[in-house]
Amino acid sequence: MAQPVSADRGVVDLWKSIKPLTTIASAMNTGAHPDDEHSAMLAYLSLGRGVNTLSVIANRGEGGQNEIGSELGNALGIIRSRELQEASKITNVTLGMLSEQINDPIFDFGFSKSPDETLQKWGDSVVYERLIRKIRELRPDVVIPSFLNEESTHGHHRAINVITVRAFKDAANPEVFPEHLKKGLQPWQIKKLYLPANDKDYNVAVPVGDYDEIYGASYVQLGEESRFMHKSQGMGRLVDEGSSFNYYKLNSAVKSEKENDFFDGIAFSFDDLAKEIEAKGKDNKVIKDLRALHKDAEEVVKAYPVFSDVAREVQEMKADVETAVSDVKASTLDASVKTDLLYRLQVKDAQLNKAGMEASSLVVKVKPETGEIVAGQTVKMVVSAYSGGKNNLKNVELQLNVPEGWTTKAVGNTKFDQLSYNKTVSATFEVQVPKNAVEFQVYQPSVVSADVLYQLNNVSGKIRVTPSNQVAVLPSFAMSLSPEATVLNTLKTEEPLPVKVTVRNYSPGATKTSISLNVPKDWNVTPASQEVNFAAKGETKPVTFQVKAPAGTAVGKYTVTAVATSGDVTSKENVQIIDYPHIGKTYLIQPAELKIQAFDLKVPTGLKVGYVSSGFDNIDQYLTQFGVNVTKLDDKAIQSADLSQYDTIVLGIRAYGFRPELLSSNQRLLSYVENGGNLVVQYHKPEDKWKPELAPYPIKIGEPLIQWRVTDENSKVTMLAPDHPIFTTPNKITDADWNNWIQDRSAYNPSEWGKEYTQLISNGDAGEKEFTGTFLSAKYGKGTYTYSSLVWYREIPNLVPGSIRLFVNMISLKQ
C-alpha cells in the first residue's frame, strides 16, 4: 500500500532507527489477544528509550466481535493479526505470535472465566513450549505480562500470566523442552519479571505521559496512535497532554523499594556490558570493543539530524560490530557469555542495517507484475533501489529471494558500481513458480523478499524488504458457494436446495474449466457439471445447481463440495479476499463447501420481518434461507416508514450503539409494539448507549460485564415458562434443543428488569449463581417485546438446530 508522505517523516524515522543503537537492553510484554499489549509502556521503552521491545501475543482474536465488518472466526483472526502488525510498526515493536497457523490449537475460543479451562483447551504443553521457545529465541532481559491472574479477569489473560510467571525459571532450565537445545536454542534466564500494579504498591512507575519533542506527542499518545489500528475492536482514544504513569511491581524478587526503571541493576548500554566483563578480569580486547561501540552510538546520536553524517557514523559502528563479533568468537569467555554477546551484537547489526537505510535515504522496493499467482506460472518481478541521500553508495547488488523449488532468472544487470543522489537502479527477474508450489498461508512470512547489498565508506550494508502487497499463490479457480451454510428441512426434503457457485479465474489469460458438485451418497445434483469459459484473469462467472436430498434423510450434518477441473488442474477451494484500507489486502483459502444441517423446522407461511442490522451479524440472510420474508431496514425506514407492515422487527446485537437513528426513533418502536407488533432486541453493552428506559419496562445490564455472561456452551438450561409460545409455537422446544451450542450461551445479561417480564430460562456456569434475566419477554399493549442475551449471532450461522427453531418461534409470536 502506498503511504501518505508527511513533512517530518524523514527525520522522525531516522531518529526511530538510531535510538535503539544506544542500548543493549530488551523487554518483552506478553498478552493473550491482539490489543492486549501495554501500548503506552511499549512506546516509552521502544521510541523513548530505544529498548529492543518485544510483544508476544498468544492467539489471533478469532472468537471476538467485529466492529468494521461481518467477518468472524478465522477471517476475523486475520484482520486482527494484520491490525496488530500495523500497530507494532508504529511503536517499533518486534511482534511474536504463539498461534502459528489457521485453526491453530491456540485459538480464541471465546470468553473464558478460568485459566485452567484455557490451558486445557489450548494444550498446556503446546502453548508453554511456544512461549519458552519465544523467550529463548528473543532473550528478553525483562518480561511483563499484561494482566494479573485475578478472578475478575478473562481466563485467556489469566492463562498467559500463569505461564509467563512459570517461564521465569523454566526458560533457563535446559531440562524443560530439551529438544530446543538439540536444535541449537540455548536456555535463557530472564533477569526480572514485573506484574501490572497501581500507584499504591509498585516498584517502577513508567512515565508514559512524558512528552517527546521529536515525535511531538507523549508516549501515551503514541501508544494510542498504535491502538487506533485495532479498528475491528473500536480501539484507540484521544488523550490530552499531561503527566501520567503506568505502574509495575517486581515479581521475581522480594523488593519493596522504588526503582528508577525496569533496568536497575541490569546492563543497559555497551559500557555496562564492558564493566560486567571487566569485573571478571579477562578479555580486554572484547572490553575495548564494547567501549568503542558505546562511543560509536554516542557519535551516531550526536550526528543527528544530518543524514550524511549519521550514515557515516552508522557505517563506522557497523565495522566495529564486525570486529567485536570476531573478537568474541575468539575470546576465552564462558560459552553462555559468548552466546549472549553474539546475540546482542546480531540484534545491533540488524538495527544498524535499518539505520543505514534511513540515513542514506535508501528506498528499496520489490514489485511483482501481479501479486496473485498460480502454481506453474511465470511472473516478472522488479527490485529497485533509489537513493535520496548525499552519500554515494558503491557496489550495489540487487537480489530476489524466493522459496525453495522456485527459480529466478535475472533479465539484465543486478550489480551496479554506484548509486548516487536522486538516482534509481533496478533489476528485473523472471520467476518460475513450480506446479507443486505451496498455496498461500496467511500467517507465514512473505514468500518473496528482496535484498539490496551495498558499500559505504568500505563497510557493507544490507537491506531486506518485502512487497507492499501480498504475493499469494492461489488456486487456479476459486469457488464461493451461495449459500455457504444452510438448513435442510427434513419436513420438506422434496424441495431442492439451489446452490450458486461463483467461479473466479486466477489463471493468467483465457481458459476454461468444468464445475461440478460432490454431494453425499444417494443425493442428486442437476446438472452434473457445467462448463465455464474465461476470457481473462480475474473474471468471475456464476453457475447454478439444484441439490436434492433423498426422502427420509436423517437429522445430521452434510457437506457439498465444489470442484473445478481443467486439464490436469483440479481446484476445490474458495479464496476469501480480506481488504481494508488500514491493513491492505490478504486472503483466506478454505474448502469450497456448503455446510448443510438437516433437522425439522416449522416456519409460518408469509412471516414478514424487518431486520435492523448493526453490521455485526448476518442473521437476516439465514432467516431468508429458512423461508422468512426479511427486509433490511435503513435509517429512513426506521424513522418514517409504516412499521406495522412487519409481523416482527428484530434489532441486531448492539444496534443502539451503531444505528443512531434508533435512539431518536425509539418511541416509534415502542408504539409499534403497543399497536400489536413483535419487537425482538438482541444483547447490548451499556456503552452502546443502552439505557434501561429504552425498553417498555426497564432493563438494566449487569456490570462488571465480565461477571454477567455464561461461557459454557454446554451448561444446563432450565425453561422456566415451558408453556410460553416461544417454547411451543410453531416448533416444540425440548431439552435437546439446548445441545450442541457453540462458544457461549449468553453475554451481557441483565441484572435488573421490570416485574412485567416473563423470565423464560435460567442458566449459568458451573458453580455460579444462575441468571434468570437472559431471556425476557413481556406483553406491551397489543404486542410483545422480547430482550435476549443469547448469542444468536454465533449459533445461527453455525446452524445450531435448537437456536434456529427457537429464533423462529421468537419472531413468530404475532402469528
Side-chain angles (χ1 to χ4, degrees), residues 46 50 62 116 209 247 268 275 304 330 353 420 471 516 688 712 729 740 766 810:
S46 176
E62 303 97 336
D116 295 335
Y247 298 95
F268 190 78
K275 289 175 183 174
Y304 180 83
N353 279 331
S420 56
V471 173
S516 59
D688 296 326
D712 182 1
T729 310
N740 302 313
M810 182 169 61

Side-chain angles (χ1 to χ4, degrees), residues 270 286-297 317 320:
F270 279 111
V286 172
I287 295 167
K288 183 181 177 183
D289 291 339
L290 296 175
R291 289 194 167 132
L293 288 171
H294 184 87
K295 187 172 182 294
D296 286 338
M317 186 171 182
D320 286 345

Side-chain angles (χ1 to χ4, degrees), residues 335-373:
S336 61
V337 177
K338 275 190 179 185
T339 299
D340 182 44
L341 285 174
L342 289 173
Y343 177 77
R344 294 181 195 271
L345 290 169
Q346 174 191 322
V347 169
K348 208 54 55 185
D349 187 63
Q351 292 172 344
L352 283 161
N353 279 331
K354 185 175 180 181
M357 179 186 73
E358 296 292 347
S360 299
S361 297
L362 189 56
V363 180
V364 179
K365 296 178 181 178
V366 51
K367 293 182 178 180
E369 61 179 313
T370 175
E372 298 174 344
I373 53 182

Side-chain angles (χ1 to χ4, degrees), residues 229-254:
M229 296 308 298
H230 295 293
K231 294 184 188 298
S232 66
Q233 303 182 74
M235 290 291 159
R237 59 194 174 95
L238 298 175
V239 180
D240 288 333
E241 294 76 12
S243 178
S244 63
F245 296 87
N246 279 14
Y247 298 95
Y248 300 90
K249 189 170 179 62
L250 184 65
N251 189 68
S252 52
V254 178

Side-chain angles (χ1 to χ4, degrees), residues 132 136 169-181 187:
I132 294 287
R136 288 172 175 173
K169 290 184 178 178
D170 282 356
N173 184 350
E175 295 181 6
V176 175
F177 303 116
E179 63 269 27
H180 291 175
L181 199 55

Side-chain angles (χ1 to χ4, degrees), residues 30 46 56 82 306 413 441 454 526 583 606 651 726 730 753 779-781:
T30 61
S46 176
V56 171
R82 284 289 300 116
V306 180
N413 289 339
Q441 298 179 56
Y454 65 92
T526 54
I583 59 173
L651 304 190
I726 275 182
W753 52 89
K779 283 291 182 184
Y780 181 64

Side-chain angles (χ1 to χ4, degrees), residues 138 155 163 169 279 338 353 362 443 445 532-533 661 672 736 768:
L138 300 172
I163 63 172
K169 290 184 178 178
K338 275 190 179 185
N353 279 331
L362 189 56
Y443 292 148
V532 180
N533 290 284
E661 69 274 14
Y672 159 79
E768 297 182 4

Side-chain angles (χ1 to χ4, degrees), residues 612-687:
V612 183
S613 174
S614 57
F616 298 163
D617 69 69
N618 53 4
I619 289 176
D620 55 307
Q621 298 173 26
Y622 288 91
L623 295 179
T624 300
Q625 289 181 34
F626 307 153
V628 179
N629 180 359
V630 180
T631 301
K632 288 189 84 165
L633 302 183
D634 60 18
D635 56 348
K636 290 182 179 179
I638 293 165
Q639 291 166 343
S640 57
D642 176 14
L643 301 180
S644 66
Q645 63 183 296
Y646 302 106
D647 298 310
T648 298
I649 293 176
V650 179
L651 304 190
I653 59 170
R654 307 181 63 193
Y656 281 98
F658 296 86
R659 296 291 297 271
E661 69 274 14
L662 287 176
L663 293 171
S664 58
S665 302
N666 193 62
Q667 188 53 52
R668 290 194 84 232
L669 294 173
L670 295 183
S671 296
Y672 159 79
V673 180
E674 200 169 15
N675 293 327
N678 180 34
L679 182 63
V680 172
V681 180
Q682 298 180 66
Y683 77 68
H684 282 72
K685 296 181 180 182
E687 60 260 37

